[in-house]
Amino acid sequence: MQLFPCPFCGPRAENEFHFGGDLGNVRPEGGASVSDATWSAYLHMRRNPKGPAREVWMHLTCGEIFALERDTVTHAVLGSHGFGEGSAS
Amino acid sequence: MTRHYSALSLLKEGLTGQRGWQPAWRSPEPKPRYDVVVVGGGGHGLATAYYLAKTHGIRDVAVIEKGWLGGGNTGRNTTVVRSNYFFPESAALYEMALKLYEGLSRELDFNIMLSQRGMLSLAHSPAEMELAARTVNAMQINGIDAELLSLDRVKSMIPAYDFGPTARYPVYGGVLQGRGGTARHDAVAWGYARGADRLGVDLIQNCEVEDFLVEGGRCRGVKTTRGVIRADRVGIAVAGHSSVLAEKAGFRLPVTSYTLQACITEPVKPILDCVVLAPALGTYVSQSDKGDLVFGGGLDRIPSYAQRGNLPVLETVIAGLVGMFPSFRQLKLMRQWAGIVDVVPDSSPILGESPLPGLFLNCGWGTGGFKAIPAGGVLLAHLLATGRHHEVSRPFDLDRFARGRLIDEAAGSGIAH
């Protein structure tokens, strides 16, 4: 069992967490004027990197949504931080 | 000088000390140019090369493999073949594969040990029985063999299952696809490799693609660890590493790479003569010809390229198995392994030309690529030979994501990949 660091609760078991996608995948503004290709890229296309990754995760037990940096080959956790005011990106 | 496999050649070689067998394929140096380069020497890539040469007469083909043939997911799956999907598009695709599997040993002169022992999906509640009836209806409408089984039929098929009053996972019935079963995974790769080699295809192992050669906005070949190889068209069939190659080609795919684990027990006498899946648990199991129980389950829900599984999912899968078959508790686990699977939001594959013209995709099979190998080969070969879709592959083009025409088999057939 791997431990992931929740910024709110500290280290917790991996199966308490849910993967939420690429960090920095920002929803396109503009409503109906956004093209199908742009909207599809936001919804579906993924960076899916081999190696260091910056991802959004949710800690299911406390509801904290946070940024997790980890390596997808070694599974090493490189860092995590919450989305305080002004820190979301 | 024996290359054909038959009873007669076995006899001949037996009488002459087995000294005349030839390697099943050559190991040529890469040429500077081919008509078509296929990246990925797994089942899909090798089948693509075979059908390019066999069906389309394009024999100036190279398969580029960074490791060894069939060493990725082709050698890591649980060898199940079936076509029990929900939507007509999927049924056409997977049924094409199953029909090709049915004739493949003869076609390739290589025994792929296809065993159509039946694929049994269990239903654990009255509500699941209603969904099972829906699945059977959908499959039959699509022209696929399917049977709704009563509890008594299930009991007669898998007597080792725990049907007792305190059963952890009670059964109400099930869905049987009688033509489903297993095939020897390595033999599928080796058979296609040998067939492609005999038609003139160069199989180049230990050669990693580092980048694509792009000229005039078009893919014109690959840059590899063994030099530049030019080609008119390039196909990629690299499963969990599709996003890595897509990034080199300058686009993104709707793919997330996850670990999928499988395990095998010590060999025992025959106890299970079909493939059993408990959809609610995600655990499925079959017994190999050698006697070991081959089983697996759901994904590790952590994006990964590590080719090794994490313990929580392993525990879930094994707990599911021993809950279904309590007598399996006493078996020793011999091996556990994992492959990196390419999971797409609608759990359906991606076949078609990529955003980089001249580069064609075969990916997104998720946890179910092995069963589709012959069809993946036929369809990617068709794309590479003609530049156009086969009618079966058209719905699976990458454009379905922008068009909103997803083929959601996770919702349709409850397949969790």
Side-chain angles (χ1 to χ4, degrees), chain A residues 2 4 14 57 70 75, chain B residues 257-259 300-304 310:
Chain A
Q2 190 178 11
F4 283 161
E14 63 180 272
W57 284 75
R70 59 181 194 100
H75 287 190
Chain B
S257 295
Y258 288 100
T259 302
D300 286 21
R301 289 278 165 193
I302 298 173
S304 171
N310 287 2

Side-chain angles (χ1 to χ4, degrees), chain A residues 13-34:
Chain A
E14 63 180 272
N15 50 6
E16 292 182 6
F17 293 84
H18 180 72
F19 173 61
D22 289 330
L23 186 64
N25 185 27
V26 179
R27 187 178 66 198
E29 295 298 331
S33 68
V34 176

Side-chain angles (χ1 to χ4, degrees), chain B residues 130-246:
Chain B
E130 301 211 340
L131 276 176
R134 166 180 174 268
T135 300
V136 168
N137 287 342
M139 285 171 65
Q140 289 178 343
I141 287 168
N142 290 331
I144 313 281
D145 67 303
E147 220 181 317
L148 189 64
L149 299 191
S150 65
L151 175 58
D152 286 342
R153 283 286 308 280
V154 174
K155 279 182 174 172
S156 70
M157 281 188 73
I158 47 170
Y161 191 95
D162 183 4
F163 294 105
T166 59
R168 175 70 183 84
Y169 304 110
V171 170
Y172 285 74
V175 179
L176 177 69
Q177 185 183 18
R179 288 165 58 247
T182 58
R184 173 99 170 93
H185 52 359
D186 293 327
V188 172
W190 297 338
Y192 274 122
R194 176 167 168 271
D197 178 86
R198 294 176 98 178
L199 293 170
V201 171
D202 282 358
L203 307 177
I204 298 161
Q205 304 179 65
N206 299 307
C207 179
E208 184 169 0
V209 168
E210 295 179 319
D211 208 348
F212 293 97
L213 190 67
V214 181
E215 290 172 359
R218 215 184 141 76
C219 185
R220 297 289 186 188
V222 288
K223 298 174 185 171
T224 76
T225 47
R226 292 170 70 175
V228 172
I229 303 172
R230 301 185 72 88
D232 295 336
R233 288 191 173 122
V234 178
I236 61 174
V238 298
H241 280 71
S242 298
S243 298
V244 176
L245 285 188

Side-chain angles (χ1 to χ4, degrees), chain B residues 27-56:
Chain B
S27 293
E29 284 300 308
K31 294 193 292 181
R33 193 200 165 280
Y34 291 90
D35 287 346
V36 176
V37 161
V38 179
V39 183
H44 283 271
L46 294 165
T48 301
Y50 174 77
Y51 291 114
L52 273 169
K54 179 82 191 305
T55 311
H56 302 280

